[in-house]
Amino acid sequence: MADEKILTYKGHPLMRKDNLIYYGSMADSHIIMLQILETKKVGELDVATKVSVQLQLTDPAAKSRDRIVKKGEKDGLYTALDFGCVWLERALAGK
């Protein structure tokens, strides 16, 4: 485990569990949760075609429904991650 490398995108960590991708650090005030809703086969690979994006607070005292600050759906993983990155940067900057 000590040799395990953490995948990052634009300076923030990416963690995946099944069809959920978490972008950002739990030590920060906000994170992005990406949920893959639909996929299609391209050759032998499953490619995300519809992705839910949520900007969430990391405050453990907040109720789960109150943690969601912004949400939306995007076509494709890259588009969803790009939007999530902007939302996260703005939230962490306090804008």
Side-chain angles (χ1 to χ4, degrees):
M1 281 272 183
D3 295 336
E4 188 174 317
K5 302 222 180 196
I6 295 176
L7 183 63
T8 61
Y9 178 72
K10 295 189 178 181
H12 298 285
L14 279 166
M15 299 293 235
R16 181 176 179 181
K17 172 77 171 127
D18 299 325
N19 67 337
L20 294 176
I21 300 170
Y22 293 96
Y23 177 59
S25 172
M26 290 302 285
D28 292 334
S29 61
H30 294 79
I31 61 163
I32 294 292
M33 184 184 80
L34 304 165
Q35 182 177 14
I36 299 169
L37 302 173
E38 291 179 3
T39 61
K40 72 175 182 179
K41 282 278 194 196
V42 176
E44 292 185 18
L45 295 175
D46 287 329
V47 177
T49 56
K50 191 174 189 183
V51 181
S52 168
V53 185
Q54 292 183 0
L55 175 65
Q56 297 182 350
L57 293 169
T58 57
D59 181 10
K63 294 180 182 173
S64 60
R65 69 174 179 263
D66 295 336
R67 288 185 189 165
I68 300 171
V69 178
K70 279 186 181 181
K71 63 182 178 178
E73 284 186 9
K74 299 295 172 193
D75 294 329
L77 182 59
Y78 179 77
T79 305
L81 186 56
D82 207 32
F83 267 82
C85 183
V86 171
W87 287 355
L88 184 61
E89 290 300 326
R90 288 181 179 171
L92 295 178
K95 295 181 181 177

